[in-house]
Amino acid sequence: MTLARTHCVTLLGVRGHVVEVEVHLGGGDPGVTMVGLPDTALREARDRVRAALVNSGESWPSGQITVSLSPASLPKAGSLFDLAIAGAVLAAAGEVPPDRLEGSVLIAELGLDGRARPVPGVLPAVVSATGQGFGRFVVAHGNADEARLVPDAEVVPVGNLMELCDWLRGGEPPPDPPRAEVPRPREAADGGPDLADVLGQPVARRAVEIAAAGGHNLMMLGSPGTGKSLLAERLPTVLPGLGPAEALEATAIHSVAGMLPAGSPLVTRPPFAAPHHTSSRAAIIGGGSGYPSPGWVSKAHRGVLFVDEAPQFGRGVLDSLREPLERGEVVLARAASTVSFPARFQLVMAANPCPCAKPGALCTCPAGERRRYFSRLSGPLLDRVDLKVELQPVTRAELLADRAFAESSAVVAARVEKARDRAAARLAHTPWATNAEIPGSRLRREFPVEPVALRVLGRAMDQGLISARGVDRALRVAWTLADLAERDRPGEEEVAYAFALWSGRAW
């Protein structure tokens, strides 16, 4: 037999496309020709596969070898094709029977000694191949737990090329690798972050609770040491855990980005991403040369993106957040393809009151310098932030007095969960689950508020203090306040407080 085929998967974003790997053995001078738009890493597979076969005790065929990757028009990248190419070469040379290659997808990188190495992106690859009718997957031991997250997928983990050859020749599947214990999320008793650690900031703590209950974006302004970073880091501790579908979405992105921790293949808690202020637009949004990779907005999908020292970021970088905030995804167009990444996250921004960051009368910054400092935070971006709070320096008396009243993350998370349940019940007939997701037109039409409760927003619009989009965002916050208070609909008090939070006048 001089022709054999098997299958692998190429990834465009977080979507996989099954690729048929065909190998033909011909006469002529020895060599390997690879066709089908392979990238540099994939072209180098011929050298890795040859060394792996020889070092595993198998023979490398003589003559010309042609490797075709179909569909030929689809770009293909990475080292995950190594195992599939090796299996097809062995089958074409008659070294292994092709029976078990039929209907199997092989995904792994090969070392020169024949070891099967894990690769990123196995979860979305298995999900996509399963949807296209494939049910059996041969992966490296390090990817076995990740591949098993997909229901009804038969996973055959191999540690090296010899184990693959034994299995293809009719042997029993290799034994499962030792299952690493999945570390449980850290709780307060384990020394993890807890909202009770932040003392003397009752309004800001309340804003974090509101943000968690409704999925709202948050902006915090205050001098260094007032607790901005502490509050942002503790927002995920009061958010509900991810549901099955959300967990798979987040895990798929982390898998493509190569961020899944060993022994913990499933992301069950809302992710927290905090990029440095020197990050480029490609690092935040995604992209890069060649094949685009997910950025921080996608790594924070279903979680929190914390932009600390926001005015230190480039204005273009911050304004690039506007589209994913509205659409919940990032679309990157390249010459070869267009890639989309999910990016539905909660934005938390923090900033000092001025460049010198000194409190009160100690500040020496001229007014013009302050204006330039905040000019990087554009109005359209701030208009998309539902909650804006200012943190004041905490006195020693406040620190001592607040120790007895600061609530833990567990207490706040219980209220947040109840509020989210109320919102979910109200939105059960819609495609949305939180108040922050509802479009303004549907919010006004399907969830109207009493006219008397809208007087505050009406006066603010007449005075030019709030835009029409700002009104919608304030109403979403008002609904969240009503959910937290277990009321059927927001009244004038909730709407007024929502406007104060939107405008930054909650103090």
Side-chain angles (χ1 to χ4, degrees):
M1 182 177 184
T2 61
L3 177 67
R5 61 175 56 89
T6 185
H7 297 86
C8 193
V9 178
T10 187
L11 293 172
L12 293 180
V14 292
R15 296 179 182 176
H17 301 267
V18 174
V19 174
E20 187 178 68
V21 180
E22 294 180 294
V23 171
H24 169 70
L25 305 183
D29 296 333
V32 179
T33 301
M34 189 173 296
V35 297
L37 291 183
D39 73 338
T40 302
L42 184 48
R43 288 186 184 277
E44 294 173 348
R46 53 192 173 191
D47 299 318
R48 290 193 300 270
V49 171
R50 178 175 183 173
L53 284 174
V54 172
N55 290 320
S56 299
E58 304 292 338
S59 60
W60 180 257
S62 61
Q64 182 67 29
I65 302 175
T66 303
V67 180
S68 175
L69 310 172
S70 301
S73 60
L74 190 67
K76 302 162 191 74
S79 58
L80 71 165
F81 288 85
D82 289 4
L83 198 65
I85 294 174
V89 168
L90 289 169
E95 299 293 333
V96 298
D99 302 344
R100 288 188 170 180
L101 289 177
E102 294 293 333
S104 296
V105 178
L106 282 63
I107 306 173
E109 177 184 333
L110 286 176
L112 299 184
D113 58 355
R115 284 180 299 169
R117 294 174 173 169
V119 293
V122 165
L123 175 61
V126 174
V127 169
S128 301
T130 302
Q132 297 176 56
F134 291 86
R136 186 166 55 203
F137 300 87
V138 183
V139 299
H141 279 175
N143 290 132
D145 289 342
E146 183 182 347
R148 287 193 178 99
L149 295 175
V150 182
D152 302 326
E154 179 188 349
V155 179
V156 180
V158 295
N160 51 57
L161 190 56
M162 288 187 288
E163 290 185 2
L164 173 67
C165 293
D166 291 341
W167 179 72
L168 291 176
R169 289 168 179 148
E172 292 297 321
D176 286 347
R179 300 295 298 273
E181 182 180 355
V182 178
R184 61 187 178 88
R186 293 191 307 170
E187 304 294 342
D190 301 324
D194 193 275
L195 197 58
D197 300 334
V198 185
L199 302 177
Q201 300 291 357
V203 175
R205 287 205 306 262
R206 175 66 171 168
V208 168
E209 180 179 346
I210 297 169
H216 304 289
N217 302 320
L218 172 64
M219 170 73 181
M220 293 181 287
L221 181 69
S223 303
T226 52
K228 304 185 297 294
S229 298
L230 291 177
L231 287 165
E233 292 168 356
R234 281 147 182 77
L235 174 56
T237 67
V238 299
L239 288 172
L242 301 181
E246 296 173 337
L248 283 178
E249 288 178 3
T251 304
I253 296 171
H254 283 68
S255 176
V256 171
M259 296 176 60
L260 285 180
S264 181
L266 185 64
V267 178
T268 58
R269 296 295 306 167
F272 179 80
H276 194 263
H277 69 267
T278 58
S279 299
S280 65
R281 185 182 305 186
I284 299 294
I285 299 299
S289 59
Y291 297 90
S293 57
W296 285 111
V297 295
S298 297
K299 296 171 187 175
H301 181 62
R302 301 297 180 185
V304 177
L305 178 68
F306 178 40
V307 179
D308 198 8
E309 305 291 348
Q312 300 292 343
F313 283 75
R315 178 163 183 168
V317 174
L318 291 177
D319 282 342
S320 65
L321 297 173
R322 288 155 51 182
E323 180 182 356
L325 283 173
E326 290 292 333
R327 299 181 55 182
E329 68 173 354
V330 172
V331 180
L332 303 172
R334 294 294 184 268
S337 61
T338 299
V339 176
S340 63
F341 291 105
R344 191 167 298 281
F345 58 92
Q346 284 186 249
L347 175 65
V348 178
M349 294 194 296
N352 295 319
C354 62
C356 77
K358 295 179 181 178
L362 298 177
C363 176
T364 58
C365 298
E369 191 171 349
R370 286 193 177 197
R371 284 195 297 270
R372 285 192 298 272
Y373 180 69
F374 281 105
S375 65
R376 294 185 179 181
L377 304 178
S378 65
L381 176 62
L382 292 176
D383 206 33
R384 289 169 168 82
V385 178
D386 303 341
L387 311 172
K388 306 177 186 72
V389 294
E390 183 175 358
L391 281 69
Q392 302 294 340
V394 182
T395 65
R396 183 174 63 175
E398 289 174 328
L399 283 177
L400 295 175
D402 204 28
R403 292 186 186 276
F405 300 100
E407 295 179 313
S408 67
S409 292
V411 173
V412 176
R415 289 201 299 266
V416 167
E417 187 173 1
K418 288 183 179 179
R420 287 220 175 189
D421 289 343
R422 290 179 62 88
R426 184 173 64 252
L427 302 172
H429 65 287
T430 73
W432 309 290
T434 62
N435 295 319
E437 299 174 1
I438 311 173
S441 58
R442 298 285 294 272
L443 179 72
R444 294 187 298 271
R445 182 171 63 250
E446 299 185 22
F447 307 101
V449 179
E450 294 294 338
V452 65
L454 297 175
R455 289 184 299 187
V456 173
L457 296 179
R459 289 194 298 267
M461 285 194 72
D462 294 340
Q463 297 172 12
L465 300 177
I466 190 171
S467 64
R469 179 167 55 201
V471 169
D472 291 339
R473 294 194 171 276
L475 287 176
R476 295 186 184 108
V477 175
W479 274 105
T480 300
L481 291 170
D483 291 334
L484 285 168
E486 299 185 358
R487 297 179 180 175
D488 292 336
R489 65 174 58 195
E492 189 171 8
E493 179 182 353
E494 285 80 18
V495 174
Y497 191 45
F499 171 66
L501 288 169
W502 180 88
S503 61
R505 303 176 181 179
W507 286 89

